[in-house]
Amino acid sequence: MLTTAQNTRLYSRMEGVVVQESFEELVALHRPRIFRFALASLRDRDAAETVTQDCFLRAHRAWPGFRGDASVKNWLMKIAVNLVRDRARGRQFQFWKRAESSAILLDAAGQFIPDTASSPEAALSARQQMEAVWKVVDRLSSAQRRVFLLHFMEDMDSSEIEEVTGMSSGVIRVQLHRAIQAVRHELRGLK
């Protein structure tokens, strides 16, 4: 999350015009978050790279008109959400269509689980739980998946998700609740 000082460094207001100090700095700061969201949403590294590049290309083109109504982070995330949605609509995207890409994603996701010298059995159990979560996420509606990923992977609160997606806070709460219920139901079956 950007601090006020970081936001001020990235852009400043001078007579209503946004002045860029360093777009490269903005890209370096926000690229990992945008890429992570795109990869989790699309499950395809190449597509995620393309969406990330397109996001920053659109942001660069629109930068002179950026009014600062939203934080830079939320503005970029909104661009990314729209690009992911457009890509999914355009190709009727099939999640996890290739076994290799899902295996790579699961391996990467497994690295987020702290290793406290766990036994092989515990590691296998954790891996199975991660696989189950991703399978449930794959079956969620696009709105539920979007809200779930923004909340849990990007650590965005309801107001930020509302700003990024344009959904009302009530819809966000319902979609998140349904997504969590689906994940919990699936994980209960593993025990």
Side-chain angles (χ1 to χ4, degrees):
M1 187 171 218
L2 279 180
T3 65
T4 304
Q6 288 171 319
N7 248 341
T8 303
R9 256 188 31 235
L10 291 173
Y11 64 92
S12 60
R13 287 210 169 266
M14 296 177 72
E15 298 179 42
V17 177
V18 176
V19 178
Q20 172 188 348
E21 288 186 11
S22 172
F23 193 78
E24 293 78 23
E25 217 177 307
L26 180 130
V27 171
L29 185 63
H30 295 286
R31 187 186 183 291
R33 175 183 293 263
I34 299 298
F35 177 75
R36 185 174 56 237
F37 173 74
L39 182 61
S41 297
L42 300 171
R43 308 278 201 282
D44 182 326
R45 185 171 289 281
D46 291 335
E49 281 290 346
T50 300
V51 164
T52 303
Q53 289 175 5
D54 288 349
C55 177
F56 286 104
L57 179 62
R58 287 187 183 188
H60 188 266
R61 288 179 180 157
W63 187 252
F66 177 66
R67 297 182 313 264
D69 294 340
S71 70
V72 173
K73 176 190 81 166
N74 288 354
W75 180 61
L76 290 170
M77 192 58 75
K78 185 169 190 163
I79 294 170
V81 164
N82 289 333
L83 288 169
V84 166
R85 186 179 351 186
D86 291 348
R87 187 167 188 91
R89 281 183 189 155
R91 297 193 323 155
Q92 294 179 344
F93 206 82
Q94 296 293 322
F95 291 98
W96 290 20
K97 64 183 178 208
R98 290 179 258 151
E100 309 92 306
S101 64
S102 65
I104 290 169
L105 182 60
L106 289 173
D107 286 342
Q111 293 173 2
F112 293 121
I113 300 171
D115 182 13
T116 56
S118 60
S119 68
E121 294 83 13
L124 177 61
S125 176
R127 177 179 220 116
Q128 288 172 337
Q129 287 179 348
M130 288 300 297
E131 287 174 5
V133 169
W134 285 115
K135 284 179 184 177
V136 173
V137 169
D138 184 39
R139 292 191 305 258
L140 296 173
S141 71
S142 62
Q144 289 172 356
R145 184 174 37 253
R146 190 175 311 118
V147 170
F148 184 86
L149 292 173
L150 289 172
H151 181 75
F152 288 106
M153 290 199 68
E154 301 307 323
D155 198 29
M156 295 177 88
D157 63 31
S158 183
S159 64
E160 292 173 314
I161 295 171
E162 185 176 357
E163 186 177 320
V164 167
T165 64
M167 295 176 182
S168 71
S169 61
V171 170
I172 291 168
R173 283 193 307 271
V174 167
Q175 298 297 339
L176 185 58
H177 175 74
R178 289 178 180 165
I180 290 170
Q181 290 301 101
V183 170
R184 284 181 180 160
H185 178 73
E186 185 71 25
L187 291 179
R188 275 189 212 120
L190 287 178
K191 292 181 180 181

